[in-house]
Amino acid sequence: MTDFSVNLNTGYVQGQTQSSGKTQTIAKDSQFNSYDQFTIWQSSEQKAVEENTLQEIASVGDSFNQEEWDEAFEANYKKALNNAGSFSFMQEGKNYSESLQELSQNNLDSYDTIEKDGKITLDEFKQREILENNTFAGTEGDKISEDDELAMQMLETTFKFMDLNGDNAIDIDEIKAYYTVADIMDCTDNEAKEVDDTMDGVITFASVDEMQQAMAFEGEPYSKEYESRNTLKISMTQIYENITGEKAANDTPANDNTKPENNEGNTQKTTGKPVELPFHQANEPSAKGKIIKSIEDSFFN
């Protein structure tokens, strides 16, 4: 449940947030656009997960050494992720493609405030990320600036990851690829190795957390984190190429066995119009299944 007012242009925030553990949906008459609501939901869930994790650790006392504390934190953080809520970007009266288009456009507009050219530059990306982080930061110590070397490195790594076509900018189709993969993934039950194949516009916080970690940290070669990051890049690239009909950048990891089919009759990219994703059609499961299998093999094995 969200109960506060926020101005993401100035960073002013007042009130409190509380995770309900349920799906946050977009109200038709909301004072916030779909991306603002996604950002508010994400911040609320992040705080709830961290608070629940620390409460669980505190309940067992302070007898842990540092290694034990780290292990306890990781275990309880995963437990808290499993109990976190989800967000639906579906809007009343709009289909999947239209709702995805609006969320992605709102996201783009929120970042594209310097050049205002329909793309997000690295400077615009850093500016918005700093603003969002500091708007929802719990303490002064949680805030970041351009002087924070580690934070800026993480943002640069994430930006490069999101730039699927290698033009040194992030466009709306690359943003759509991000949200579509987030919709496909379901990290709330790793033991059951489940993937959400419904394509219903519902995104779990566990999925968002997993993806953001993968995008921000490259990981050691051949480590689980490294392989997960590569598979995420492949999955987003496949979706991007389906949307645009164009090849992504050459630095994208190759995986011909999971490349989605481009069936006749599927709607391709049209300037200014929503795009129906080929693998979202109920009678065309093969391409979607390949993408889902690719994600499942990496993230849960």
Side-chain angles (χ1 to χ4, degrees), residues 73-276:
F73 183 90
E74 182 177 356
N76 283 285
Y77 188 85
K78 289 181 179 179
K79 179 181 177 181
L81 278 179
N82 290 345
N83 294 324
S86 56
F87 178 89
S88 174
F89 61 75
M90 295 300 295
Q91 300 195 50
E92 183 180 352
K94 294 185 178 181
N95 62 25
Y96 186 95
S97 185
E98 291 168 339
S99 297
L100 177 63
Q101 171 77 20
E102 181 159 338
L103 172 61
S104 302
Q105 187 65 57
N106 290 157
N107 188 334
L108 176 65
D109 292 342
S110 296
Y111 282 72
D112 182 24
T113 57
I114 300 175
E115 300 292 336
K116 297 183 178 180
D117 58 354
K119 293 185 177 183
I120 302 170
T121 65
L122 178 57
D123 286 342
E124 289 173 328
F125 184 77
K126 287 182 177 179
Q127 175 181 276
R128 179 67 183 194
E129 288 289 324
I130 292 171
L131 174 61
E132 288 187 5
N133 179 86
N134 295 348
T135 296
F136 298 107
T139 66
E140 286 296 319
D142 293 329
K143 293 185 177 181
I144 61 174
S145 71
E146 292 186 359
D147 296 329
D148 189 328
E149 185 175 344
L150 177 60
M152 293 307 103
Q153 181 180 345
M154 291 170 59
L155 292 181
E156 290 172 9
T157 302
T158 301
F159 179 87
K160 184 177 180 181
F161 188 100
M162 286 286 296
D163 179 20
L164 300 176
N165 63 9
D167 66 349
N168 297 317
I170 298 172
D171 61 35
I172 192 168
D173 293 323
E174 290 162 333
I175 296 172
K176 286 180 182 178
Y178 168 81
Y179 287 119
T180 304
V181 171
D183 183 9
I184 293 173
M185 286 180 60
D186 183 357
C187 299
T188 60
D189 191 350
N190 290 341
E191 292 184 0
K193 298 185 179 181
E194 293 182 355
V195 172
D196 175 14
D197 60 358
T198 57
M199 296 294 290
D200 55 4
V202 176
I203 299 173
T204 65
F205 179 74
S207 299
V208 173
D209 184 80
E210 183 85 7
M211 291 178 66
Q212 291 188 341
Q213 292 291 328
M215 292 191 295
F217 300 98
E218 295 183 350
E220 293 295 326
Y222 307 111
S223 66
K224 182 180 184 298
E225 292 76 15
Y226 179 85
E227 296 300 331
S228 294
R229 189 174 197 269
N230 279 352
T231 296
L232 177 60
K233 187 67 173 283
I234 291 169
S235 301
M236 288 178 60
T237 299
Q238 291 170 345
I239 294 169
Y240 172 81
E241 291 180 351
N242 268 275
I243 294 172
T244 64
E246 302 170 357
K247 296 294 292 183
N250 292 330
D251 65 345
T252 301
N255 192 336
D256 293 336
N257 292 329
T258 59
K259 183 177 180 181
E261 299 166 3
N262 200 359
N263 302 297
E264 292 182 5
N266 292 328
T267 305
Q268 294 299 322
K269 180 180 179 182
T270 305
T271 303
K273 295 182 179 180
V275 179
E276 287 293 349

Side-chain angles (χ1 to χ4, degrees), residues 11-77:
Y12 173 76
V13 62
Q14 182 178 16
Q16 298 179 337
T17 64
Q18 181 180 1
S19 172
S20 65
K22 298 180 180 179
T23 301
Q24 172 72 38
T25 56
I26 301 173
K28 186 176 181 181
D29 59 349
S30 171
Q31 61 178 311
F32 303 117
N33 66 39
S34 55
Y35 177 69
D36 287 341
Q37 285 212 10
F38 177 81
T39 303
I40 293 168
W41 163 80
Q42 184 178 348
S43 173
S44 174
E45 295 298 329
Q46 182 66 57
K47 290 180 180 179
V49 166
E50 292 175 353
E51 289 173 359
N52 291 338
T53 300
L54 294 175
Q55 287 174 3
E56 286 292 326
I57 295 177
S59 67
V60 298
D62 55 0
S63 59
F64 287 148
N65 60 37
Q66 185 61 52
E67 182 178 353
E68 291 172 332
W69 194 93
D70 291 341
E71 291 177 355
F73 183 90
E74 182 177 356
N76 283 285
Y77 188 85

